[in-house]
Amino acid sequence: MTQVGEGQEADESAPPIMTFGAPTAGDVLADRYELVEHINNDSAGRLVWRGVDVVLRRPVAVVLRYPGGDSAIEMLQAAVAASRVIHPNLVGVYDAIDEGERAYVVREWVDGQSLRELVAAGALDPGRATAVGNAVASALAAVHATGMVHGNVHPGTIMISDDGRVVLADARTDGADSQASDIRAVGGVLYFALTGHWPHAEVPLHGATAGHGRAATPDAVRDPEGVLAAPRQVRAGIPAYLDDLTMDLLDATLAPPPSDVLAAELARLDVPADEHYLDSNGPLRFTAETGDEPSPLAVAGGRKVAIGIASILAVALVGLLIGISVLSGGGDGEQNPATAAVPTPSATAGDEPPPAATVGELKISAAKIVDPDSRDRVEVRNAEKVYDGSLEEGWATQTYHGHPNFGNFKRGMGIWLDLGEPRNVTSLQVKLSARGASALLYTGTNEHPSSDAGDEALYEEYQKNPIGPAKEDADTTMTFDAFDADTEYQYLLFWLTELPPSDGGYKVGVQEITVEGS
C-alpha cells in the first residue's frame, strides 16, 4: 500500500541519503514507535514504514532518512510546521526526531491510496474530481492562514482513505514555492483527476525515482507549440464551468484567487449531481484588466456584465420613481420628473421621528475555544454549549495546579464569538460555574483557523482591542457593558486570565454567554 510521503521531490543539492543500517520489522524507535512493515521508499529515497505507537496503541506512518543532522533539517522543519496546523484534510504530524545517524517523522497512518494510484485505474468523474479539489483547497486555506506554504501539492501527496476522506501530506519548507503556486497546483490536481495527465510534468524533477511522485504521471496533451489541451479536449463529458476553472488556475497570466475563496467556490460546486445545481451556475473566472489589479472574484462574464446589470437596475429605479410621482399627482411640470419623485431628507410638520432601535438578545452564530498555549488541544471542544440557551451544560477548563493563572504556564484561554454580522452591542453577560474568576473582553476584525498558530494570531490581534476594564475575582455572573455606542461589533473574545479554586486546583466552567444589543 502506498502511504503518505511517497511523492516528496528530492533536492539535487542535498547530500545523498544512505540506507546502511536501515531498521527491520520489530524495531522500536524512541522507545515508542514499533516498525511493522516497510511500505516503500519515497522519491527522495526516504524509507516509509507502517508502525504502531505502543503508548497510544494507534497505527502510524514513520518516514526515516539516513543520515540525520544537518541534511535532515528541511524535513524536520517541515514536520514541525505541519504539526501546528490541524485540519481534517491534512495528515496529522505526531513527532519529529533527529538521532544524528538518522532522522524520522511520525505521522497519521491513512488506510487508502494516493490520488495518483486512484486515477491510474481511470480518470474521476467531474463530481469526485471537484470534491478532491475542494478538500485540497480547504487544506491549503488552513495552511495559508498561518502564513505558511505547502509547496508540494501533486497527485502523489494527496491521499484518499478507504472511507473517502481526502488528505494532503508532505509539506516542505525550502522556500522555493509560494501560496500562489500552491493554488495553481490545485488546477493541476483538477486537470489530473479529470484526465489522468499531469499538466506540470514538463517541469524537470531532480532525483525523482521512477514509479513515484510527479515523474510517475503522464504528461498532458499539447499541440505542436506546446499549448496545453483543455480537459474537455482530452475527455468528453467534462462540464464547461469545471474546464474553465481548471484552465484559469493553470494560466500563469491570471492572478489566482486566495485559497479560502477557491475552497468556497469548489464547495459550492461540490453538490449531489441529482440536484442539477452544477448545470446552471458557472465558476469563478479570473480576469486581468488593463489598469486594474487582477480580480479573482470576477464571476463568469466579468465586470462588464455586472456594470451592465447595475445600469439596467438604475434605469428601472428611475422609471419606478417617475411612475410613483405621476400617479400621486406630485411634482411641477417645470421640474425634472426624476428629482421631483425623490423625497427630501428634511422632515415636514407633523412627521414623526423614526422609532428607536429595539434592544434585545442578539444571536450568536458561532463560537470556538481559543487556546494559543495548548499542549494537546483537548480543551477546545464544546464551545457550542456556551450559547445553547441552557445552564445545565457548558464548557469547562481542565483542573490546573499550583497557580490560578492556569498553573502559571498559560497566558489564559478564551471563547471567541461570532455574531454573524456587525451589530450594535450594549452588554455581554457570562454565567460561570463558580465565583472568583478574572477575565477580559476583546474585539477584533478577523477570523483565524482553530489551531495553535491560528489561536496565537487571533490573540495577538484581539488583545490590542480591550472593551472596558478587566473583571477581577468576579461573582458567578460577569457583565461587560463598556461598548462604544457608535461602533458595530461582530467578533468578540471572552478571555479568562485567572481561575477560581476547585477540587484541590483551579478550574471554571462557562455555562452560558448572552449578548444584548440592537
Side-chain angles (χ1 to χ4, degrees):
M1 175 188 292
T2 299
Q3 189 48 216
V4 294
E6 54 80 31
Q8 173 73 37
E9 289 184 69
D11 182 349
E12 65 178 354
S13 65
I17 294 177
M18 301 178 293
T19 57
F20 176 75
T24 59
D27 287 356
V28 179
L29 309 182
D31 296 323
R32 178 166 184 170
Y33 307 110
E34 180 181 355
L35 301 180
V36 176
E37 178 186 7
H38 178 218
I39 302 302
N40 62 11
N41 290 1
D42 70 14
S43 61
R46 302 175 308 180
L47 287 69
V48 182
W49 280 75
R50 177 170 62 87
V52 174
D53 182 337
V54 298
V55 175
L56 297 180
R57 306 305 304 172
R58 65 181 175 184
V60 294
V62 183
V63 182
L64 302 102
R65 67 157 288 144
Y66 292 78
D70 291 342
S71 62
I73 288 177
E74 192 279 326
M75 180 184 82
L76 297 173
Q77 286 179 339
V80 171
S83 70
R84 296 171 181 161
V85 186
I86 300 174
H87 190 275
N89 297 120
L90 287 170
V91 167
V93 177
Y94 304 143
D95 215 340
I97 298 173
D98 184 7
E99 295 180 349
E101 74 278 3
R102 68 184 175 191
Y104 46 92
V105 173
V106 182
R107 54 191 173 188
E108 177 185 2
W109 174 267
V110 181
D111 283 317
Q113 56 187 327
S114 69
L115 178 64
R116 178 175 57 78
E117 291 178 313
L118 181 65
V119 174
L124 306 186
D125 63 75
R128 293 187 72 191
T130 302
V132 170
N134 176 26
V136 174
S138 298
L140 290 176
V143 172
H144 293 174
T146 68
M148 295 190 299
V149 174
H150 187 277
N152 201 27
V153 180
H154 61 84
T157 56
I158 298 168
M159 295 289 295
I160 292 85
S161 70
D162 292 340
D163 61 3
R165 177 177 165 229
V166 179
V167 291
L168 179 61
D170 214 13
R172 65 185 185 191
T173 60
D174 60 7
D177 292 277
S178 65
Q179 293 188 359
S181 63
D182 276 352
I183 298 167
R184 293 199 191 286
V186 179
V189 168
L190 288 171
Y191 192 100
F192 177 78
L194 292 167
T195 68
H197 297 272
W198 180 243
H200 303 305
E202 77 280 4
V203 178
L205 295 179
H206 303 303
T209 303
H212 293 288
R214 302 179 192 176
T217 61
D219 190 10
V221 178
R222 301 175 187 277
D223 67 16
E225 285 73 38
V227 177
L228 182 69
R232 297 182 79 191
Q233 295 174 298
V234 178
R235 178 185 169 204
I238 297 175
Y241 62 80
L242 194 54
D243 184 274
D244 290 339
L245 177 58
T246 301
M247 295 304 289
D248 280 351
L249 288 170
L250 294 172
D251 189 342
T253 66
L254 301 180
S259 50
D260 56 348
V261 173
L262 178 59
E265 173 66 6
L266 288 167
R268 181 180 75 84
L269 299 178
D270 181 17
V271 298
D274 56 4
E275 293 186 14
H276 303 293
Y277 185 73
L278 302 179
D279 296 336
S280 59
N281 290 271
L284 293 173
R285 299 304 307 278
F286 319 130
T287 60
E289 301 175 17
T290 304
D292 290 330
E293 292 288 336
S295 172
L297 294 178
V299 180
R303 294 182 178 176
K304 292 181 179 179
V305 172
I307 293 171
I309 293 173
S311 299
I312 294 171
L313 292 175
V315 172
L317 177 60
V318 171
L320 176 62
L321 293 173
I322 293 173
I324 293 173
S325 176
V326 171
L327 291 174
S328 64
D332 189 336
E334 298 296 324
Q335 280 187 301
N336 183 320
T339 57
V342 179
T344 61
S346 59
T348 58
D351 284 345
E352 296 183 2
T358 303
V359 175
E361 184 174 337
L362 301 179
K363 179 182 177 181
I364 298 173
S365 65
K368 68 177 179 180
I369 307 304
V370 178
D371 190 8
D373 300 319
S374 168
R375 291 179 175 178
D376 49 21
R377 297 195 68 75
V378 298
E379 294 174 274
V380 299
R381 306 180 183 92
N382 301 321
E384 69 281 355
K385 294 182 179 181
V386 305
Y387 64 101
D388 61 0
S390 171
L391 292 173
E392 299 300 318
E393 289 187 307
W395 167 80
T397 68
Q398 292 181 321
T399 300
Y400 290 82
H401 298 278
H403 197 281
N405 183 17
F406 293 85
N408 207 24
F409 72 88
K410 283 188 176 183
R411 289 166 289 179
M413 289 183 67
I415 302 175
W416 176 84
L417 306 171
D418 180 2
L419 302 182
E421 61 181 342
R423 306 294 297 267
N424 288 115
V425 180
T426 55
S427 68
L428 180 143
Q429 188 178 86
V430 184
K431 296 286 187 180
L432 302 171
S433 62
R435 65 180 62 198
S438 298
L440 284 152
L441 186 65
Y442 299 122
T443 186
T445 58
N446 295 297
E447 297 185 56
H448 295 273
S450 184
S451 64
D452 287 348
D455 287 358
E456 178 68 31
L458 188 149
Y459 176 72
E460 287 299 319
E461 176 193 343
Y462 282 54
Q463 58 91 22
K464 299 174 183 177
N465 306 297
I467 300 176
K471 305 294 182 181
E472 298 180 347
D473 194 19
D475 205 340
T476 55
T477 298
M478 194 178 289
T479 301
F480 296 86
D481 54 10
F483 292 89
D484 184 351
D486 297 324
T487 301
E488 292 186 324
Y489 304 83
Q490 179 172 349
Y491 305 128
L492 301 170
L493 177 62
F494 171 70
W495 186 254
L496 286 162
T497 55
E498 290 192 355
L499 306 175
S502 175
D503 300 327
Y506 299 92
K507 176 181 180 179
V508 76
V510 178
Q511 304 305 111
E512 194 72 15
I513 298 179
T514 55
V515 182
E516 290 196 343
S518 58

